[in-house]
Amino acid sequence: MRISVDRERCIGAGMCALLAPAIFDQDYDDGRVRLLDPRPQQDHSALREALDACPSGALHLDES
Ligand code: SF4
């Protein structure tokens, strides 16, 4: 499992950092997503919620 983020698409809504704070944060300067853990070993339900909640399609999950 690997997560990637597209900072160009991110609109800084912050849902990812709110729902899965171990994996995502928001940049202090521009509010866009920062990926803290691209290969999380746990916290899957929070991760799914964050992926579903992102309004911009900036979060991607490769399950291979
Ligand atoms: S939820 Fe989506 S749009 Fe909002 S900060 Fe996270 S990646 Fe960006």
Side-chain angles (χ1 to χ4, degrees):
M1 173 184 290
R2 181 177 176 80
I3 302 168
S4 60
V5 301
D6 183 346
R7 284 180 44 83
E8 295 303 313
R9 291 189 69 134
C10 175
I11 59 172
M15 294 307 293
C16 56
L18 183 69
L19 293 167
I23 303 172
F24 304 105
D25 196 4
Q26 282 182 275
D27 189 275
Y28 183 79
D29 290 325
D30 64 13
R32 293 184 186 183
V33 63
R34 289 178 55 222
L35 182 58
L36 302 177
D37 183 1
R39 291 186 179 275
Q41 301 299 313
Q42 53 188 355
D43 213 18
H44 289 175
S45 62
L47 172 60
R48 303 283 174 182
E49 286 183 39
L51 291 169
D52 288 345
C54 176
S56 68
L59 307 179
H60 303 279
L61 176 63
D62 179 352
E63 304 213 46
S64 60

